[in-house]
Amino acid sequence: MASVRVERTDAGFVAKNGRGDEIIVGNGDGEGFTPVELLLAAVGGCNIVTVEPLTAKRGHRLVRLAMTVDAEKVEPTLLGPVTVTYDVELPTDDPLAAEVFEAVAERVHTRACTVGRSLSNGTEVKLVTS
């Protein structure tokens, strides 16, 4: 099970995981990531931390591996499609690197990234108030 605690502090809002890591959550007016930015970071993070080791494991270490994740609001409280755009630099001495990277990135997108698959499949979000 995955779990994160989000709480108000004297300095604002903070998301904490069970390992003690923290992320400042803001509203876009000051410090921290907005909730939408965190969602986009989760999609990108899920993809990139899976693509990198799978590509390297196949012997094709990319010189640069980065991405941009974008989405526009289609309604005040609803995002439209999320677009993941990779920015890679392939090794010049590896003619198969592009083919391997593209195959791995596609497989990760369609089958291995929990965050992206959950969004695509419309995972239910339940509310419990105590």
Side-chain angles (χ1 to χ4, degrees), residues 46-98:
C46 185
N47 276 276
I48 207 164
V49 302
T50 309
V51 165
E52 198 285 325
L54 290 176
T55 305
K57 180 179 177 182
R58 286 160 179 75
H60 305 279
R61 177 98 170 133
L62 303 172
V63 176
R64 181 182 63 252
L65 176 60
M67 65 173 48
T68 303
V69 184
D70 297 298
E72 290 188 33
K73 286 189 175 183
V74 294
E75 294 179 18
T77 59
L78 182 66
L79 290 178
V82 175
T83 304
V84 175
T85 305
Y86 278 93
D87 175 17
V88 299
E89 182 179 340
L90 301 168
T92 56
D93 61 345
D94 185 352
L96 297 177

